[in-house]
Amino acid sequence: MNLTSDNIAPAHHSVLSALGAVNAGSSAPYGKDEVTAQVEELLAGIFECEVGVFLVTTGTASNALALAQMTPPWGAIIAHSEAHVLHDECGAPEFFSNGAKMVGLPGVDGKITADGLRALLARDYWTPPTHVTPSAVTLSQATEAGTVYRPGEIAAIAEVARDRGLRVHMDGARFANAVAAVGVSPAEMTWRAGVEALSFGFTKNGAMAAEAVVLFAPDLIRNLAERRKRGGHLWSKGRFIAAQAAALLEDGLWLKLAHQANAQAARLALGLEARGLKTAFPVEANEVFAHLPAATHEALKAQGVGYYVWSSDSIAPHRAGGADEVIARLICSFATEPQEIDAFLAAIDGAGAQKKASRSPGTPLF
Amino acid sequence: MNLTSDNIAPAHHSVLSALGAVNAGSSAPYGKDEVTAQVEELLAGIFECEVGVFLVTTGTASNALALAQMTPPWGAIIAHSEAHVLHDECGAPEFFSNGAKMVGLPGVDGKITADGLRALLARDYWTPPTHVTPSAVTLSQATEAGTVYRPGEIAAIAEVARDRGLRVHMDGARFANAVAAVGVSPAEMTWRAGVEALSFGFTKNGAMAAEAVVLFAPDLIRNLAERRKRGGHLWSKGRFIAAQAAALLEDGLWLKLAHQANAQAARLALGLEARGLKTAFPVEANEVFAHLPAATHEALKAQGVGYYVWSSDSIAPHRAGGADEVIARLICSFATEPQEIDAFLAAIDGAGAQKKASRSPGTPLF
Amino acid sequence: MNLTSDNIAPAHHSVLSALGAVNAGSSAPYGKDEVTAQVEELLAGIFECEVGVFLVTTGTASNALALAQMTPPWGAIIAHSEAHVLHDECGAPEFFSNGAKMVGLPGVDGKITADGLRALLARDYWTPPTHVTPSAVTLSQATEAGTVYRPGEIAAIAEVARDRGLRVHMDGARFANAVAAVGVSPAEMTWRAGVEALSFGFTKNGAMAAEAVVLFAPDLIRNLAERRKRGGHLWSKGRFIAAQAAALLEDGLWLKLAHQANAQAARLALGLEARGLKTAFPVEANEVFAHLPAATHEALKAQGVGYYVWSSDSIAPHRAGGADEVIARLICSFATEPQEIDAFLAAIDGAGAQKKASRSPGTPLF
Amino acid sequence: MNLTSDNIAPAHHSVLSALGAVNAGSSAPYGKDEVTAQVEELLAGIFECEVGVFLVTTGTASNALALAQMTPPWGAIIAHSEAHVLHDECGAPEFFSNGAKMVGLPGVDGKITADGLRALLARDYWTPPTHVTPSAVTLSQATEAGTVYRPGEIAAIAEVARDRGLRVHMDGARFANAVAAVGVSPAEMTWRAGVEALSFGFTKNGAMAAEAVVLFAPDLIRNLAERRKRGGHLWSKGRFIAAQAAALLEDGLWLKLAHQANAQAARLALGLEARGLKTAFPVEANEVFAHLPAATHEALKAQGVGYYVWSSDSIAPHRAGGADEVIARLICSFATEPQEIDAFLAAIDGAGAQKKASRSPGTPLF
């Protein structure tokens, strides 16, 4: 059992088939191929508008490139205090932006709020040139806590941002899971709510390695080609990124796979609830954060069950487990089978039994 | 009355005289002159050891250059949550280090502690290459709260740092005030306590514009010459920075001026205490943070009295004034006269009287 | 007919099969998978030594990451005046190195020489901190002129470099073609001749997108993991880069495919010679630079035959075609068929005939 | 005798007096003082237009800041092959621009030409995103060869630049010498000829350390304040840079001092001519490049006469001395006295006599 991350999954078989299908004859290099053009069309269709599209292969590249388009080096990029982009990319946004400052904004359940952003921006602090200037806000969708912003929440945040001249980015490493969870259109989840650039993740959702920087604001398109090239992210045989994205975008496969992953997370959440185990955050997409008794945790780890302990994942103050417990981050992917969830729950049951036994050796149980 | 900052002061007359004294004939350019050599000797004497010395003209340059020597781009520089270097230099450390991450560590009275640092470094967070790697810690001396680290505190922090491979920097924009306050030797305050590089500030203490990066760790000297040149901080007519530093270092003028500034801050603190007004932090050097009733503040501002309101100076959570008060940051320089302090206190008295009057217009005062 | 580049080719079928073979079950992310470990072993075997291996997906990333390990920002990276890394990567080395200077060194047939390098380094120029400091030399192998450095040439250059403290990098976008051409071992072509880091290209030689930074100098390994992550080049599903490299490295497929490509270039060169057309450089690997009469060129272009005109490819002074001719860059890949070469030659014949006809309209041809 | 550079000179006494004159009482920090405002007015008057003014203290900072405003990281800055900004600033433009590429353009007598620039830009090379995009051209005025662009030459270059979207910068480290030499107005020499930003140097012309970035194109003003702060170039006690500039700008002192320096160069050139010694470039401002017989050079150096040998100053191919000679770079400053020139010429005479003697040892001298 391994619920470490959705990035340990293989690629979906349709993705591999698509690679084979485009692997014939010569093709214009550097993204001028037909498959790339097809992806651009597919995305325009899905988002119901003209979009700029830049394909890359990691979420880090996608986020860092998009954010670098949105900020000068003396800008501040505002993200949730526990955002991946703030902590888990080894400073990639700082590198690509030539040293912009990432500013963490706390918020419950992994979300920032319009009020929180407004208050931060209203502080008597942002006086240039002594201080950096807020330039962009980035929202993780789904969040690092497994929750999902609703279009209204996004729109409220975007309005605050727009009023102060900040650009709005969405880190959509799990965009598919978020869209599947809420059931609104991709357009409603993004540009109609004020999002100007999206890092649309395919990798966690069934690709080998494919991410699209999708730009809704036309002015953000300019020179991203140079940034991508200069960052070493322009593939010569571009059809092979594009084919992955196309395979997932066609016939709604991306949403279907996201629904599958979300469904397993829901199954897991129900199983935990049935055992009286609480979750730290609402389970809305494909991530579950479970309060596990310390002894259960140790027993599961002894069995080699794979997951991360959430408290280890941030330097920001955050909601950690209590004294006798940990918060386990459990992530389901499109490839997670119901049996795996059931086995995990069974392992908890076994660990719990073991725990009780081990905690009261020699004590009558009745 | 203007207690805004010690950087509004003029230069000390000895500094100007020194400029005149070196202004004769030609001189080797780019820091190869005799005056620069003399400053190096003076600093070696004052610190009782061999030191690397790089003269520049702003504290921002001094800090950013020193920190860039201590961190790779994927490093984390740890500073107090309210440190000047974290907030007030428009991202200069990020620029000079090519995007290292500044990490704020809270601590009372403007100081971080060895325990705080140890706990931060002990977090199960710093896993490369996902996360940045702690590379340096920087201490403001005197702090942004006007307090002063004691050698034992510094040594304890430096020991934690050394154990984890972090370099230790001291932002000594007000180093003179700190040394004067504690009465230990410059060596005890720095390298004997584990400090490896010091940004030694002269500007606030009577220079026109002179700061020295003083390096106690020989390996930090390598290539700082290139960094300084590349940053545009190598003067061709170097004697004119050096002469300023020399004028202050000779005959202990730097300490004498710092004592003067500290004395006025003490006079101010006493005056506040006599009026029942509290200070937010212990007054140890040349900065006073005074709780002022809101009405007093308004009256002072109406009279054009110059000072900053502290709550406006950070995005980190910090100790701000209560509902009916502000915390005023009041800074004395070598040029502050006792009369100015007395006038400020008198203005408070007047404001208080005015306030009471204005608060109950038409109400009998008995 | 399309001889534009070897990057317009598809992937070799073995590469695609390998992707399918590793696409089962979960796998440790971020390069900790078994396939990546296998590639590391394969490379150690092929190079007959311990190596550090960092897989990425573009040559630009591979070169820029390797060079950034070798130079400080105030360093100079010396490359042939027409090197790809100097001109065709949109400044990626400058970006990854935080602004190191690329210095072009002319040399015949696309090669720099030990004498040329020695003379450049001997100039009374490199005085820090005014000037940058030579830090690395990079050799394209095969070169941008389609020629190949011999181990003795490399060793002589590397000796000059080592004597002056420069690191030695090889841009091996066409490393396979070079090794196949010369018939020496990969070890002789690299570390035994003094190369300390190799950008080993697989993409042009049959991969979808796979390049390995291969480090022979152990000190260059340190922190490359952070650079790669920060550059957005660490794949979560790392097995899918590794599988490509493994497929090519196993059973010598990489050399077999390179031999195929080289053979077609030789066939093309012979055909040109038979037609009295000269090549600009010795044809040693898979690139042919042919002097084509201007009219022939126009006729070929009119037919849609794909190739680049070399004179357009550099701002450095270089060998361009004469007044009535162009130099056509013609590149063969593993996928180039003999028929394609023959068709190209036939097109030349047709163009020539057409040309003669068009040049003397009304003149009897017998 | 020391003709090494104009940066070995002291400051003019008026500059020192001005420092004393502004050194009274407190003053608004960070360039908000009245003296800075006065400099802005003086410059507006001298240039007969509104200008943006940013005072710094080194030419390197001034050039790098101005150029960074003009280029994206993927841009190319075109300079003369032997320009100071290309060679002698340790990569400062690359640092401040986050890695833009400096491209050298050859040209006789230290000048690029409109035709040369047009030809460079017309090359079939500048294809983004593979290649960098020309973004700016910078002209040294006076040039590194001691020559001076005429307004017509500048206007022709600027027109080519503007047609291709390049911004136009002038490195005026010796702007005063150039204006004095040609006798046109500062406006004619700059914005009326198409210059959009000028690095106006005061240091070589009598200041301690003062340079002004003068912006004629209003859009270049935006955010230069942040760049300057972030680069560590914003002085807190700004009046002390401003006072230097003001002292030189008032009553035309800057031009008077430049005329003095130019006059000594002319005297030197005449003296050389009278001795049958040629100059490498036309002597137009305050720099003289003299062909000296090798033996004369050795004799002068043996006497400790100070000057640079020009051939050592570039990695670009350039005009160096013949086999038996060197080219000596001889620079006069405002502080150079006629006696010093005469002594230098006398030393040449003596060296020549000595040379003949030393060349025939064993020959009776009578």
Side-chain angles (χ1 to χ4, degrees), chain D:
Chain D
M1 282 161 288
N2 196 335
L3 299 168
T4 310
S5 178
D6 30 8
N7 64 24
I8 63 170
H12 190 264
H13 62 83
S14 298
V15 166
L16 279 191
S17 303
L19 294 176
V22 301
N23 193 40
S26 64
S27 173
Y30 299 123
K32 290 173 214 143
D33 59 277
E34 290 169 17
V35 196
T36 297
Q38 184 193 353
V39 170
E40 291 165 0
E41 271 178 47
L42 282 165
L43 286 168
I46 283 166
F47 286 103
E48 307 166 44
C49 69
E50 284 188 33
V51 289
V53 175
F54 291 81
L55 295 172
V56 294
T57 56
T58 69
T60 298
S62 179
N63 285 333
L65 286 168
L67 290 172
Q69 290 286 88
M70 292 180 153
T71 185
W74 46 86
I77 300 166
I78 296 164
H80 188 274
S81 299
E82 305 206 24
H84 185 276
V85 76
L86 203 156
H87 296 293
D88 302 317
E89 297 183 341
C90 202
E94 287 92 337
F95 175 47
F96 279 81
S97 67
N98 195 18
K101 206 179 270 284
M102 303 295 299
V103 174
L105 176 61
V108 297
D109 292 344
K111 294 186 196 175
I112 66 168
T113 64
D115 284 346
L117 181 61
R118 188 180 296 110
L120 178 66
L121 296 175
R123 293 207 58 154
D124 186 12
Y125 172 84
W126 308 104
T127 44
T130 302
H131 299 264
V132 292
T133 298
S135 50
V137 61
T138 175
L139 306 174
S140 302
Q141 179 74 320
T143 74
E144 288 78 8
T147 53
V148 177
Y149 287 98
R150 299 305 185 278
E153 295 173 309
I154 298 166
I157 290 167
E159 190 184 341
V160 174
R162 193 174 47 244
D163 286 351
R164 280 289 299 263
L166 280 73
R167 311 304 299 252
V168 182
H169 172 253
M170 180 171 278
D171 173 1
R174 296 186 181 98
F175 182 69
N177 303 97
V179 171
V182 179
V184 300
S185 74
E188 286 173 275
M189 198 64 112
T190 55
W191 64 273
R192 285 207 181 110
V195 172
E196 300 179 277
L198 166 71
S199 296
F200 192 156
F202 297 100
T203 309
K204 288 182 163 69
N205 194 31
M208 269 181 8
E211 311 277 325
V213 183
V214 181
L215 302 168
F216 306 109
D219 69 302
L220 292 175
I221 294 172
R222 186 178 148 84
N223 289 328
L224 185 45
E226 282 92 341
R227 273 196 207 279
R228 181 174 59 173
K229 175 67 183 173
R230 195 172 161 77
H233 287 288
L234 178 60
W235 273 27
S236 53
K237 299 182 177 176
R239 54 179 145 173
F240 295 114
I241 311 182
Q244 300 177 59
L248 290 164
L249 290 173
E250 275 166 359
D251 302 326
L253 181 59
W254 66 290
L255 277 176
K256 188 185 149 203
L257 296 182
H259 274 295
Q260 282 178 211
N262 290 1
Q264 297 314 315
R267 183 185 191 93
L268 174 55
L270 275 173
L272 293 168
E273 192 183 7
R275 283 154 183 81
L277 294 171
K278 289 182 182 162
T279 55
F281 311 111
V283 176
E284 299 183 348
N286 64 324
E287 301 178 76
V288 178
F289 293 78
H291 287 265
L292 295 184
T296 300
H297 167 61
E298 281 155 33
L300 291 173
K301 283 292 167 188
Q303 293 172 55
V305 179
Y307 57 84
Y308 281 117
V309 174
W310 185 235
S311 52
S312 66
D313 209 33
S314 171
I315 52 171
H318 65 280
R319 191 165 171 187
D324 290 330
E325 62 174 19
V326 301
I327 296 180
R329 192 189 76 162
L330 309 162
I331 303 193
C332 303
S333 80
F334 77 93
T336 305
E337 299 287 341
Q339 298 88 313
E340 198 169 2
I341 299 302
D342 296 343
F344 179 80
L345 293 169
I348 286 181
D349 293 337
Q354 207 178 2
K355 175 190 68 172
K356 283 178 195 158
S358 71
R359 278 210 169 165
S360 48
T363 302
L365 289 172
F366 51 92

Side-chain angles (χ1 to χ4, degrees), chain A residues 42-323:
Chain A
L42 283 164
L43 286 167
I46 284 166
F47 286 101
E48 307 167 45
C49 67
E50 284 188 33
V51 289
V53 175
F54 292 81
L55 295 172
V56 294
T57 56
T58 68
T60 297
S62 179
N63 285 334
L65 286 168
L67 290 172
Q69 290 286 88
M70 293 180 155
T71 185
W74 47 86
I77 300 166
I78 297 163
H80 188 273
S81 299
E82 305 207 22
H84 185 276
V85 78
L86 202 157
H87 296 293
D88 301 318
E89 297 183 341
C90 202
E94 286 92 337
F95 175 47
F96 279 81
S97 68
N98 194 20
K101 205 178 269 283
M102 304 295 298
V103 174
L105 176 62
V108 296
D109 291 344
K111 295 185 196 176
I112 66 168
T113 63
D115 284 346
L117 180 61
R118 188 180 297 111
L120 178 66
L121 297 174
R123 293 207 55 158
D124 185 12
Y125 172 84
W126 308 104
T127 44
T130 302
H131 299 264
V132 293
T133 298
S135 50
V137 60
T138 175
L139 307 173
S140 301
Q141 179 75 318
T143 73
E144 288 77 8
T147 54
V148 178
Y149 286 97
R150 299 306 186 278
E153 294 172 310
I154 299 166
I157 290 167
E159 190 184 342
V160 173
R162 192 173 49 244
D163 286 350
R164 278 290 299 261
L166 281 72
R167 311 303 300 250
V168 182
H169 171 254
M170 181 171 276
D171 173 1
R174 295 187 180 97
F175 182 69
N177 303 96
V179 172
V182 179
V184 299
S185 75
E188 287 172 276
M189 198 64 111
T190 55
W191 64 272
R192 283 203 183 112
V195 173
E196 299 181 277
L198 166 70
S199 296
F200 191 156
F202 297 100
T203 309
K204 288 182 162 71
N205 194 33
M208 266 180 12
E211 310 279 324
V213 182
V214 181
L215 301 168
F216 306 110
D219 69 302
L220 292 175
I221 294 171
R222 184 178 150 83
N223 291 326
L224 185 45
E226 283 92 340
R227 272 195 206 280
R228 180 175 60 174
K229 175 66 182 174
R230 193 172 164 77
H233 288 288
L234 179 60
W235 274 28
S236 55
K237 301 183 177 177
R239 54 179 144 173
F240 296 114
I241 311 182
Q244 300 176 58
L248 289 164
L249 291 173
E250 275 166 359
D251 302 327
L253 180 59
W254 66 289
L255 277 176
K256 186 183 151 205
L257 297 181
H259 275 295
Q260 282 178 210
N262 290 0
Q264 297 314 314
R267 183 186 191 93
L268 174 54
L270 276 173
L272 292 168
E273 193 183 6
R275 282 156 184 82
L277 294 172
K278 288 182 181 162
T279 54
F281 311 111
V283 176
E284 299 184 346
N286 65 324
E287 301 178 78
V288 177
F289 292 78
H291 287 266
L292 295 184
T296 301
H297 167 60
E298 280 154 34
L300 290 172
K301 283 292 166 186
Q303 293 174 55
V305 178
Y307 58 83
Y308 281 116
V309 173
W310 186 235
S311 52
S312 68
D313 208 33
S314 171
I315 53 171
H318 65 281
R319 190 166 170 184

Side-chain angles (χ1 to χ4, degrees), chain C residues 35 46 49 65 69 85 93 101 103-104 145 179 186 211 229 247 259 272:
Chain C
V35 196
I46 282 166
C49 68
L65 285 168
Q69 290 286 90
V85 76
K101 205 178 269 282
V103 174
V179 171
E211 310 277 325
K229 175 66 182 175
H259 274 294
L272 292 169

Side-chain angles (χ1 to χ4, degrees), chain C residues 80 110-113 138-143 147-154 157 170 178 182 184 189 284:
Chain C
H80 188 274
K111 293 185 196 177
I112 66 167
T113 63
T138 176
L139 306 174
S140 301
Q141 179 75 319
T143 73
T147 54
V148 178
Y149 287 98
R150 299 305 186 277
E153 295 174 309
I154 299 167
I157 290 166
M170 180 171 276
V182 180
V184 300
M189 198 63 113
E284 298 184 346

Side-chain angles (χ1 to χ4, degrees), chain C:
Chain C
M1 281 163 293
N2 196 334
L3 299 168
T4 309
S5 178
D6 29 8
N7 64 24
I8 63 170
H12 190 264
H13 62 80
S14 299
V15 166
L16 279 191
S17 303
L19 294 177
V22 302
N23 193 40
S26 64
S27 173
Y30 298 123
K32 290 174 212 143
D33 60 277
E34 291 170 17
V35 196
T36 297
Q38 183 194 353
V39 169
E40 290 165 1
E41 272 179 46
L42 282 165
L43 285 168
I46 282 166
F47 285 103
E48 308 167 45
C49 68
E50 284 188 32
V51 289
V53 175
F54 292 81
L55 295 172
V56 294
T57 55
T58 69
T60 297
S62 179
N63 285 334
L65 285 168
L67 290 171
Q69 290 286 90
M70 292 180 153
T71 186
W74 47 85
I77 299 167
I78 297 163
H80 188 274
S81 300
E82 305 207 23
H84 185 277
V85 76
L86 203 156
H87 296 292
D88 302 317
E89 297 183 340
C90 202
E94 285 92 338
F95 175 47
F96 279 81
S97 68
N98 195 19
K101 205 178 269 282
M102 304 295 300
V103 174
L105 177 61
V108 297
D109 292 345
K111 293 185 196 177
I112 66 167
T113 63
D115 284 347
L117 181 60
R118 189 181 295 111
L120 179 66
L121 296 175
R123 293 207 56 158
D124 186 14
Y125 172 84
W126 308 104
T127 44
T130 302
H131 299 265
V132 293
T133 298
S135 50
V137 60
T138 176
L139 306 174
S140 301
Q141 179 75 319
T143 73
E144 287 77 8
T147 54
V148 178
Y149 287 98
R150 299 305 186 277
E153 295 174 309
I154 299 167
I157 290 166
E159 191 184 341
V160 173
R162 193 172 49 242
D163 287 352
R164 279 290 299 262
L166 279 73
R167 311 304 300 250
V168 182
H169 172 254
M170 180 171 276
D171 173 0
R174 296 186 180 100
F175 182 69
N177 302 96
V179 171
V182 180
V184 300
S185 74
E188 287 174 275
M189 198 63 113
T190 54
W191 63 273
R192 285 205 180 112
V195 173
E196 299 180 277
L198 167 70
S199 297
F200 192 155
F202 297 101
T203 309
K204 288 182 162 69
N205 194 32
M208 267 178 11
E211 310 277 325
V213 182
V214 181
L215 301 167
F216 305 109
D219 69 301
L220 291 174
I221 294 171
R222 184 178 149 84
N223 290 328
L224 186 44
E226 282 92 342
R227 271 195 208 281
R228 181 175 58 175
K229 175 66 182 175
R230 193 171 163 78
H233 288 287
L234 178 60
W235 273 28
S236 54
K237 300 183 176 176
R239 54 179 146 173
F240 294 113
I241 311 181
Q244 300 177 58
L248 289 165
L249 291 173
E250 274 167 359
D251 303 325
L253 180 60
W254 66 291
L255 277 176
K256 188 183 149 205
L257 296 181
H259 274 294
Q260 281 177 211
N262 290 1
Q264 297 314 314
R267 183 185 191 93
L268 174 54
L270 275 173
L272 292 169
E273 192 183 5
R275 281 154 184 84
L277 293 172
K278 290 183 181 161
T279 56
F281 311 110
V283 175
E284 298 184 346
N286 64 324
E287 300 177 77
V288 178
F289 292 80
H291 287 265
L292 295 184
T296 302
H297 166 62
E298 280 155 33
L300 292 173
K301 284 292 166 187
Q303 293 174 55
V305 179
Y307 57 85
Y308 281 118
V309 173
W310 186 234
S311 53
S312 67
D313 208 34
S314 170
I315 53 169
H318 66 281
R319 191 167 169 183
D324 290 331
E325 61 176 19
V326 301
I327 297 181
R329 192 190 76 162
L330 310 162
I331 303 192
C332 302
S333 79
F334 77 93
T336 306
E337 300 285 344
Q339 297 88 312
E340 195 169 3
I341 301 301
D342 296 344
F344 179 80
L345 292 169
I348 285 181
D349 293 338
Q354 206 177 0
K355 176 189 66 171
K356 281 178 198 159
S358 71
R359 278 210 170 168
S360 46
T363 302
L365 291 172
F366 49 93

